[in-house]
Amino acid sequence: MNTAGKSQENTGFGTNASNYGGRLINKDGSANVEKRGMFLLRRISWYHTMIAMPQWRFLLTLLLFYIGMNFIFALLYFSIGIEHLNGIDPSGTELGKFGQAYFFSAQTFTTVGYGHISPVGFLASALSAAEALIGLLSFAIATGLFFGRFSKPTAFIKFSDNALISPYREGTALMLRLTPFKNTDLTDAFARITMRRSDNENGAMTNRFFALDLELDRINVLSLSWTLVHPITPESPLYGLSNQDFASINGEFIVHLTAFDDMFSNTVATRTSYTFDEVVYGAKFDSMYTRNESNSKTILHLDLLNSYQKVDFKEK
């Protein structure tokens, strides 16, 4: 097996491959690590979780929190006694009275206070005052989370699902593609690829890491697609690997990308990874952009990010 290239020791990952399960980096760029040995609330940052979660889950969490808090306070009002909520018809059904208590809770939690129902007595008044305070604090936190999610600098970069081994000049190269998919302006983009390969050394599986030289690792403006190309030369750690080797070797390509976002005047970063079984041997990417009908603008076809075609070439 070819071992060309200088092995890296400063990757942040250990060399003992037997201690690792699966890939090191998930496709979405997160570390493939599950932390244990500490209470859940101690090892999870709720702020980072709320900022990073998908939008649908974030909105659903807020909705469930709102419904749940009002349900809890409605139960408390109901346990104190409906007679302490002036304006609720005591002759109605229990479900109807609970429903009115729930909507009173919603009005108090949001500090709307229509005045149709009002608390009577110390316990009901104290509970409604506490609920109003909790409601104010909750909406303040929700507003901060909304602002944090909107103001967080994000790369908005999509990577191709597969990396390819493609014909390149007189030989072959490892290629993967990325593209910005939002109306953002990214400049001074820098990319690097680190390869992890698990080798059997003296009867033990050991992780070895190699920095892959790119044909172009920095571009001034990232407005179209960018294909990262690593020429497979005799100095490359990929030199001599066949299609069967990619299918049998436990390996991974870790991709890091940083760029400058003009809108936020800040550097954004993203990453992903490709395991060896996600490498398509003998293929090339289709072009993603064309000119428009009037030859006045370039059209970037985002739906062609993963489009490639198989090609025949001799393995060297």
Side-chain angles (χ1 to χ4, degrees):
M1 181 181 297
N2 176 52
T3 56
K6 184 178 179 181
S7 178
Q8 290 187 317
E9 303 295 338
N10 61 343
T11 61
F13 300 102
T15 59
N16 189 349
S18 61
N19 290 340
Y20 286 87
R23 65 200 310 154
L24 300 181
I25 301 296
N26 294 317
K27 294 295 287 184
D28 63 359
S30 61
N32 188 28
V33 176
E34 179 184 348
K35 298 179 181 180
R36 297 181 180 179
M38 188 180 292
F39 291 115
L40 178 65
L41 296 179
R42 288 289 306 277
R43 68 174 188 263
I44 290 182
S45 167
W46 68 268
Y47 179 77
H48 286 82
T49 301
M50 295 295 290
I51 292 293
M53 69 172 49
Q55 183 175 353
W56 68 268
R57 188 177 296 173
F58 173 75
L59 295 176
L60 180 62
T61 300
L62 293 184
L63 178 62
L64 293 178
F65 174 80
Y66 177 75
I67 294 175
M69 289 298 295
N70 285 306
F71 186 82
I72 292 173
F73 276 102
L75 286 176
L76 293 176
Y77 288 122
F78 203 73
S79 63
I80 292 176
I82 297 301
E83 64 274 9
H84 293 284
L85 295 179
N86 188 27
I88 294 182
D89 184 7
S91 62
T93 64
E94 295 299 311
L95 181 60
K97 289 186 287 187
F98 180 82
Q100 293 185 69
Y102 179 88
F103 288 114
F104 168 74
S105 172
Q107 296 163 18
T108 305
F109 193 79
T110 57
T111 67
V112 172
Y114 290 119
H116 172 64
I117 303 174
S118 58
V120 177
F122 176 79
L123 288 180
S125 298
L127 183 60
S128 62
E131 182 180 12
L133 176 62
I134 294 174
L136 287 171
L137 294 177
S138 299
F139 280 101
I141 293 173
T143 302
L145 290 173
F146 269 108
F147 177 78
R149 290 176 62 88
F150 278 111
S151 62
K152 183 185 69 170
T154 305
F156 295 119
I157 296 291
K158 281 190 177 296
F159 294 88
S160 57
D161 292 338
N162 299 98
L164 310 182
I165 301 296
S166 306
Y168 179 72
R169 296 180 180 176
E170 300 300 322
T172 59
L174 171 74
M175 298 186 184
L176 58 95
R177 189 158 64 179
L178 58 95
T179 186
F181 63 95
K182 294 280 189 180
N183 56 332
T184 54
D185 294 320
L186 299 178
T187 61
D188 196 23
F190 173 73
R192 66 182 185 272
I193 301 178
T194 301
M195 186 190 80
R196 186 267 303 178
R197 188 176 66 201
S198 297
D199 296 331
N200 192 330
E201 295 184 0
N202 301 321
M205 295 302 296
T206 302
N207 281 330
R208 302 186 64 192
F209 297 89
F210 303 87
L212 301 187
D213 295 328
L214 298 178
E215 177 194 43
L216 195 64
D217 62 4
R218 188 183 297 273
I219 58 176
N220 294 331
V221 179
L222 181 55
S223 56
L224 297 173
S225 63
W226 184 15
T227 301
L228 303 182
V229 178
H230 166 66
I232 302 179
T233 63
E235 292 74 29
S236 169
L238 298 178
Y239 186 75
L241 294 184
S242 65
N243 190 17
Q244 290 73 25
D245 292 326
F246 279 100
S248 60
I249 296 176
N250 181 11
E252 182 178 359
F253 299 105
I254 302 173
V255 186
H256 296 263
L257 177 78
T258 58
F260 185 79
D261 190 326
D262 288 344
M263 176 64 69
F264 293 99
S265 295
N266 202 352
T267 299
V268 294
T270 186
R271 63 180 178 176
T272 189
S273 75
Y274 300 85
T275 56
F276 274 22
D277 58 4
E278 293 172 338
V279 176
V280 179
Y281 200 93
K284 66 176 183 179
F285 286 112
D286 296 325
S287 178
M288 283 187 64
Y289 51 89
T290 58
R291 70 181 85 181
N292 64 353
E293 293 78 3
S294 61
N295 196 22
S296 61
K297 185 171 294 187
T298 301
I299 301 176
L300 180 62
H301 301 276
L302 298 175
D303 56 332
L304 296 180
L305 174 62
N306 301 310
S307 179
Y308 64 84
Q309 54 183 294
K310 298 287 290 185
V311 295
D312 295 325
F313 63 85
K314 294 182 180 179
E315 298 180 359
K316 295 186 178 181

